[in-house]
Amino acid sequence: MDFKITRDLKNELLKRRELEFTLTFDGPTPSRKSIQEKLAALQNKDENLIVLDLERTRFGKMELFGRARIYDDEESKTSTEKAYLLKRGEPKAESEA
């Protein structure tokens, strides 16, 4: 996976950084969790403070266009973000079989 950040904006009012990025990859489309982990490692931030919003791939290309928001603290994240986006970023619960 190769990240290219196309836009990086600091939003002081909401205590977050807003990123737009292009991700090139080989093979199947990476999972949200793997994108979140890779972005956290590149930005030296906790992966729990990152919210992925929009991910689009183009047919036939190994490219993904996305947006992410990196919050300064957990409190700003929970007070600002929509509930469905927070739930989407959580790890799935293991079901007992």
Side-chain angles (χ1 to χ4, degrees):
M1 284 194 294
D2 184 36
F3 269 93
K4 180 181 177 191
I5 296 180
T6 56
R7 183 172 167 235
D8 188 353
L9 177 72
K10 179 70 176 166
N11 189 331
E12 294 292 334
L13 183 64
L14 296 175
K15 298 179 185 174
R16 68 183 185 191
R17 284 179 54 207
E18 299 167 355
L19 302 175
E20 290 182 5
F21 59 88
T22 302
L23 174 68
T24 54
F25 56 91
D26 293 324
T29 305
S31 67
R32 294 178 72 85
K33 184 68 176 167
S34 65
I35 294 171
Q36 196 171 6
E37 289 171 353
K38 178 76 171 178
L39 191 58
L42 288 174
Q43 298 296 318
N44 289 334
K45 295 289 184 176
D46 181 17
E47 64 186 62
N48 295 326
L49 297 177
I50 297 177
V51 177
L52 294 176
D53 185 12
L54 174 68
E55 299 170 9
R56 301 260 187 244
T57 56
R58 295 182 127 181
F59 182 76
K61 288 194 172 189
M62 300 295 204
E63 266 185 345
L64 179 138
F65 301 100
R67 287 189 210 144
R69 292 182 290 276
I70 304 173
Y71 285 88
D72 294 341
D73 54 44
E74 189 71 33
E75 182 183 334
S76 342
K77 176 182 155 188
T78 54
S79 66
T80 306
E81 285 298 328
K82 297 174 184 166
Y84 76 93
L85 285 174
L86 294 175
K87 186 170 176 102
R88 196 181 283 173
E90 292 174 356
K92 293 183 180 179
E94 304 251 347
S95 61
E96 295 179 25

